[in-house]
Amino acid sequence: MKVDPVMRRDAAYFLAGPALLCLLIAALFHLHPWPVALQAQAENFSWLITGWWLAVGVIAIALSSRISCPPAPPLSDGPGWRRVVVWGLGIGLIQGLEGVAKTATPMFGARYEALDRAAGFTWGNVGLPWSIPHYFHASVLSECFFRFGVIVIPVWLLSTLLLKGRFQGVLFWTFAALGALIEPFEQTVLIKHMTFAGMTAVDIEGSIEGILWQLIYAWTFRRFGWPAPILARFGWYLVYRVFAGYFFRPGSTMYPGPH
C-alpha cells in the first residue's frame, strides 16, 4: 500500500497532538494518581492499554482518508479548522447540556441515581483539576475504539480486499451502526448490571438516545474528519462530567470526587 502525503499528515497530527497529550497524561497519572470511581478507569492509564489504543488510532486515522472520510485540514487552513472545532465541540456541548437537563429532571435523575447506587457507585465524576486531563485521555481512547477502530479498519479491509473500493458508504454506516450499539450496551449491561427484561421506559429511552448520539459522532467523522468526534466527546465530558456535577447536591452520584 502506498502511503500518500495526506495519510502521513493525518498520522503526524494525531501523534503530535492527541496521542502525545495522552501519553503525558498517563505519565502524570502514574506519578500522581487521582481518585477514580472504577478500577477500570485507572487501568486505562496503563502503558499497555494507552499504547495499544493509540496505535490502533494512528493506523485507523492514517487510513481514514482511504474510506472517503475527510483528512484533518492543513494547519494553515484556519476556516477548515474552525468548522471542525465548531461542529465537533459544539455537538458535544449540546449533548452535555441536554444530558444535564435530563439528569436534573426528577423522572430521569432519580432513575440514574438509583442505577448508579445499585451498581455500587456513591460518586461517578472525577473532580477538578484532574477531571480535565482524565476526560481528555478518555475522549481520545474511546474514539480510537468506538469510531476509528470499529469503523475504519474493517471498512478499509473489506472495501480494499473484497470490493475494490466499492460500497464504502454502505460499509461505513453498517459498522457505524454496529459500533453505536457497543457503548450503550456496555454502560447498561456491563457496568450497571441491568437485564433487558428489567429495563424501564426511561432506560430504553436512554439506550436509544445513546445509540443516536453515537451515530451523530460517526456523522461528524464522515463529514469533518477524525478530530471532530474526539472534540465532540470531549465537549460532552466537559459539560456533563467536568463542570455540571458541582451544580448537583453534594450527596448526589453526579457530584465530583469521592464521597
Side-chain angles (χ1 to χ4, degrees):
M1 180 186 67
K2 182 180 179 181
V3 178
D4 60 40
V6 170
M7 296 172 67
R8 286 196 294 269
R9 188 182 72 202
D10 271 337
Y13 282 2
F14 179 73
L15 289 172
L20 177 59
L21 284 173
C22 281
L23 291 172
L24 293 174
I25 291 167
L28 177 63
F29 186 83
H30 284 277
L31 291 172
H32 188 287
W34 47 82
V36 294
L38 284 172
Q39 179 59 30
Q41 292 176 330
E43 292 169 356
N44 284 339
F45 292 100
S46 72
W47 297 117
L48 178 61
I49 292 177
T50 296
W52 168 257
W53 287 117
L54 292 179
V56 169
V58 72
I59 293 169
I61 283 167
L63 292 170
S64 63
S65 60
R66 293 290 183 93
I67 65 163
S68 303
C69 291
L75 293 178
S76 59
D77 184 4
W81 277 107
R82 281 194 293 273
R83 282 193 298 273
V84 172
V85 172
V86 168
W87 278 97
L89 193 60
I91 283 172
L93 295 177
I94 291 169
Q95 181 190 8
L97 291 171
E98 187 267 347
V100 171
K102 279 181 59 179
T103 306
T105 302
M107 179 177 69
F108 290 96
R111 178 59 176 168
Y112 298 160
E113 178 113 359
L115 289 173
D116 286 340
R117 293 194 181 280
F121 295 103
T122 58
W123 63 287
N125 296 329
V126 174
L128 286 166
W130 309 114
S131 53
I132 293 177
H134 177 93
Y135 289 115
F136 181 83
H137 183 276
S139 297
V140 176
L141 263 62
S142 294
E143 290 308 302
C144 283
F145 173 55
F146 293 116
R147 232 64 53 198
F148 311 141
V150 169
I151 297 175
V152 177
I153 293 175
V155 170
W156 180 81
L157 286 172
L158 288 173
S159 67
T160 300
L161 299 181
L162 297 179
L163 301 174
K164 299 181 179 179
R166 294 172 296 174
F167 307 114
Q168 285 187 343
V170 173
L171 287 171
F172 179 93
W173 287 110
T174 299
F175 282 96
L178 292 173
L181 300 174
I182 299 172
E183 191 168 10
F185 177 85
E186 176 191 50
Q187 293 292 322
T188 302
V189 178
L190 300 183
I191 294 179
K192 295 181 179 176
H193 309 297
M194 190 192 312
T195 63
F196 291 110
M199 293 178 72
T200 67
V202 168
D203 305 324
I204 294 169
E205 187 279 336
S207 295
I208 293 172
E209 183 181 339
I211 292 168
L212 292 176
W213 279 115
Q214 294 291 303
L215 291 173
I216 291 172
Y217 281 22
W219 174 81
T220 67
F221 180 29
R222 184 75 171 174
R223 178 65 179 81
F224 301 104
W226 62 267
I230 294 176
L231 289 168
R233 185 176 287 270
F234 187 52
W236 172 57
Y237 280 146
L238 280 176
V239 174
Y240 195 80
R241 298 295 183 192
V242 175
F243 294 112
Y246 291 101
F247 295 93
F248 287 78
R249 59 182 176 79
S252 166
T253 54
M254 278 289 291
Y255 196 84
H259 55 81

